[in-house]
Amino acid sequence: MRIRSKVVPLAIPAVALGLIVSGCSSGGGNQVANVNVGTTNDINRQDPGTLRDGGNLRLAISSFPATFNNLHIDGGDADVASIVDPLMPEPFVSNAAGELSVNHDYFTDVKLTNTNPQQVTYTINPKAVWSDGTPITWADLQSEAHALGSAGQGFQVSSTQGFERVAKVERGADDRQAVVTFNKPYAEWQGMFGPLYPKSVTESPQAFNDVDRNDLKVSSGPFVITNIDKTQDRVVLGRNPKWWGATPKLSTITFTRLDQSAVLGAVQNNEIDYTYVSGLANVVAAKGTPGIVVRRSPEPSWSHITFNGAPGALLADSKLRIAISKAIDRQAIVTQAQTGIVDNPKPLNNHVFVMGQKGYQDNSAPAAFDPTAAAKDLDDLGWKLNGNVREKDGKKLELRDVMFDQKEWVDTAKIVQQDLAKVGVKVDIQTVPGNGLFTNVIDPGNFDLAQFTWGGSPLPLTALPQIYAYDPNNLQGNKARIGSTQLNDLIEKTISELEPAKASELANECDKMIWQEGYSLPLQQASGTYATRANLANIGAFGLANADWTKVGFQK
């Protein structure tokens, strides 16, 4: 589990040491409890020395990777992030409390060495090498910084993640040290270079697009890709013979693409070992499966409905989006999704912070549920009832709501459909297989409403420039195509603030503007529920922590 933000279909888009996008719904829990992120997790922690040597961990993905470059717009989702997690370097790791520390497998030290101008010095572990045996050097960091900061030069990045603020990356004391100098302060600099790719992938737009399109040519982790079978939609990882760190307990990790409807059955039939589960019926079924334990720890992921506000789109008018928002009963959605799993389910009311995270506050007043006010707003905007559906200038107010083909998402959509029908808005529910939701539908803007999940991290501010800043020439994670110069300027001010309390205050001012824009409707925050093979150790519900893939294994 990377600190980097992520996009995951379940349905979650990926953000850096910050967010991921996914199509999966967020619900679930081992027992009734709240969803506030905390300081503990549930991973069956065991001394690796007591575990069996070897074994194959079988995991499911929702879609087969369009590229193995997690930095590319086509690869910035949770499925790709989950595959590359055991394969690529990152400078920091997080514990269950969200506290960051240097990842000493790859770096002996990473520290802020100057604030005016801001400078960060990365000292690379002298043992760290790429899977082809070449050393990891400062040039790899320099090349990645240039690529992610140069979207206007043809690099199709999923997130600039602060790299647009980098003035230069220089060689330090030797090839194993990089000194990064910023031209503007960046608050969440710990989220940068995670994952780090070799210079061969980031040295040009063509390389960035093509080198890792069909496989991961060069990696650097405890595992490497040993087999890719596109006919079976399967990716197999094996131990990296060039790995210098602790020997992994597992021999292999196998990822297989499964439709969401098939995942629970695969767990019950002993075909996969570990998966997220949502919805009370699925959680109960998982708990009742012999050999399976449901592990739970709240995590910074949340489901939402994003509006398509692109110029010329049906919902381009922010006042129309707000009117529609007022007609949707978010509490009813969350109650349906989390009753029996979460104690006192309630909607998430912030686009930046999750419940339990420092900085969280309720800024949702502009979208408060009020169907009477919604109907009046629609009338005032010229959308008049004609039979059961409103019309304006000969156009019907009929919205396409797209989502993964998964029961929990459809259940949410049905509530939205019923709520909006009461105010004269027709909703067409359109489900999409995992392989096509983002690439073919959401990213091209082929929707009015889109349901998916954002997965967060201990560095929440990363979401602001990645998702909510708007540049029509570089959308990054802005699936809604909504924003303003004023919001962009405030985001810029927020992520430039190095004093955490002030940065949180500014982030909430951003969130208020995001609500006023009618960007999206946050729904439920994930309780973090995972069906896990009972004899698996050091894996389960990680909460805010990273997985240590050298420690994951089977008990004897």
Side-chain angles (χ1 to χ4, degrees):
M1 177 182 172
R2 291 198 173 274
I3 297 175
R4 187 176 183 273
S5 284
K6 49 192 176 179
V7 178
V8 181
L10 305 180
I12 298 180
V15 185
L17 206 147
L19 279 189
I20 292 183
V21 74
S22 162
C24 291
S25 62
S26 338
N30 193 21
Q31 60 278 324
V32 175
N34 66 42
V35 294
N36 289 9
V37 295
T39 60
T40 61
N41 58 20
D42 184 8
I43 62 171
N44 188 23
R45 197 179 307 277
Q46 302 288 333
D47 181 346
T50 67
L51 302 182
R52 175 160 61 93
D53 184 46
N56 175 38
L57 176 65
R58 301 163 299 172
L59 307 176
I61 51 177
S62 301
S63 59
F64 195 84
T67 175
F68 289 87
N69 181 358
N70 191 215
L71 308 175
H72 193 281
I73 186 64
D74 292 343
D77 63 41
D79 287 323
V80 177
S82 64
I83 293 171
V84 305
D85 196 27
L87 306 176
M88 304 303 286
E90 58 182 317
F92 287 90
V93 292
S94 174
N95 65 13
E99 298 164 337
L100 303 181
S101 60
V102 174
N103 187 343
H104 289 296
D105 280 333
Y106 299 103
F107 296 88
T108 58
D109 194 22
V110 181
K111 60 185 176 182
L112 184 67
T113 47
N114 199 358
T115 56
N116 189 22
Q118 183 178 352
Q119 282 187 325
V120 180
T121 299
Y122 295 79
T123 303
I124 302 164
N125 185 334
K127 297 179 181 179
V129 297
W130 297 108
S131 56
D132 62 2
T134 60
I136 298 174
T137 74
W138 74 279
D140 296 307
L141 280 78
Q142 181 192 52
S143 182
E144 181 159 306
H146 175 260
L148 297 188
S150 304
Q153 298 180 28
F155 291 91
Q156 299 178 54
V157 303
S158 63
S159 171
T160 57
Q161 198 184 339
F163 289 102
E164 75 283 2
R165 296 163 172 264
V166 171
K168 56 184 176 180
V169 179
E170 298 174 294
R171 183 178 184 269
D174 55 30
D175 282 351
R176 296 288 196 159
Q177 189 174 77
V179 180
V180 179
T181 303
F182 293 77
N183 53 33
K184 289 183 289 188
Y186 182 55
E188 293 192 336
W189 56 270
Q190 296 100 321
M192 302 172 71
F193 299 109
L196 176 67
Y197 275 72
K199 181 180 178 180
S200 57
V201 174
T202 57
E203 62 187 354
S204 70
Q206 182 180 2
F208 194 77
N209 187 66
D210 297 337
V211 168
D212 287 336
R213 177 60 62 175
N214 296 310
D215 62 11
L216 195 61
K217 297 287 194 305
V218 177
S219 56
S220 177
F223 291 88
V224 294
I225 293 178
T226 56
N227 182 259
I228 296 175
D229 186 342
K230 291 190 175 181
T231 62
Q232 298 292 322
D233 282 344
R234 186 169 294 152
V235 179
V236 180
L237 314 185
R239 291 175 179 172
N240 178 5
K242 296 287 198 303
W243 177 245
W244 58 94
T247 302
K249 302 307 297 184
L250 296 169
S251 295
T252 55
I253 303 173
T254 300
F255 296 89
T256 303
R257 191 197 73 78
L258 294 175
D259 290 337
Q260 282 299 310
S261 59
V263 172
L264 179 62
V267 171
Q268 295 172 318
N269 295 330
N270 195 20
E271 295 167 354
I272 62 173
D273 301 306
Y274 172 69
T275 186
Y276 191 90
V277 287
S278 61
L280 182 59
N282 290 337
V283 172
V284 170
K287 290 176 70 174
T289 300
I292 291 295
V293 175
V294 173
R295 303 199 181 279
R296 178 183 181 272
S297 180
E299 61 188 41
S301 303
W302 68 96
S303 301
H304 60 92
I305 301 168
T306 281
F307 298 104
N308 183 354
L314 187 57
L315 299 179
D317 184 352
S318 63
K319 293 180 180 178
L320 178 57
R321 297 194 297 268
I322 289 293
I324 288 171
S325 298
K326 291 178 182 178
I328 296 174
D329 188 350
R330 294 190 299 133
Q331 181 61 62
I333 292 170
V334 175
T335 297
Q336 173 182 266
Q338 294 192 322
T339 295
I341 299 169
V342 170
D343 181 21
N344 187 27
K346 53 188 176 182
L348 180 69
N349 292 319
N350 197 296
H351 293 84
V352 183
F353 303 101
V354 295
M355 287 180 273
Q357 198 165 37
K358 191 172 182 179
Y360 178 81
Q361 67 183 45
D362 183 348
N363 297 318
S364 65
F369 179 54
D370 189 342
T372 301
K376 182 180 183 303
D377 290 348
L378 291 169
D379 282 333
D380 292 345
L381 290 168
W383 289 97
K384 304 297 185 181
L385 275 173
N386 183 0
N388 294 323
V389 181
R390 292 178 182 269
E391 292 185 0
K392 180 180 180 180
D393 301 329
K395 180 179 292 186
K396 291 184 178 295
L397 193 48
E398 184 171 343
L399 307 177
R400 293 168 297 128
D401 185 7
V402 304
M403 68 214 70
F404 264 146
D405 188 4
Q406 184 181 3
K407 179 182 181 298
E408 288 75 21
W409 283 119
V410 175
D411 289 344
T412 292
K414 288 178 179 177
I415 293 178
V416 173
Q417 186 181 55
Q418 292 163 8
D419 285 346
L420 291 182
K422 294 173 184 176
V423 296
V425 180
K426 184 178 180 182
V427 173
D428 296 322
I429 299 172
Q430 298 183 3
T431 60
V432 182
N435 268 352
L437 179 64
F438 290 99
T439 304
N440 300 331
V441 180
I442 293 178
D443 288 343
N446 187 21
F447 67 96
D448 298 306
L449 311 175
Q451 298 178 194
F452 57 94
T453 300
W454 283 113
S457 86
L459 298 179
L461 303 189
T462 305
L464 286 168
Q466 182 179 344
I467 304 173
Y468 305 112
Y470 179 61
D471 177 353
N473 299 313
N474 180 24
L475 291 171
Q476 297 190 68
N478 191 328
K479 311 297 183 183
R481 294 163 171 80
I482 293 170
S484 66
T485 300
Q486 292 81 2
L487 178 56
N488 285 355
D489 290 345
L490 187 56
I491 289 173
E492 169 71 19
K493 184 177 180 181
T494 302
I495 61 174
S496 298
E497 178 54 62
L498 297 181
E499 203 286 301
K502 180 62 175 176
S504 291
E505 181 182 329
L506 290 169
N508 273 300
E509 293 304 310
C510 291
D511 185 50
K512 292 174 184 176
M513 294 182 68
I514 293 165
W515 281 103
Q516 291 162 1
E517 286 277 0
Y519 183 100
S520 65
L521 282 178
L523 300 174
Q524 65 264 28
Q525 180 174 323
S527 57
T529 309
Y530 292 82
T532 310
R533 198 68 50 193
N535 62 340
L536 271 172
N538 301 318
I539 189 172
F542 287 101
L544 288 170
N546 291 80
D548 184 338
W549 290 103
T550 66
K551 296 180 179 179
V552 176
F554 293 93
Q555 293 178 277
K556 295 179 180 177

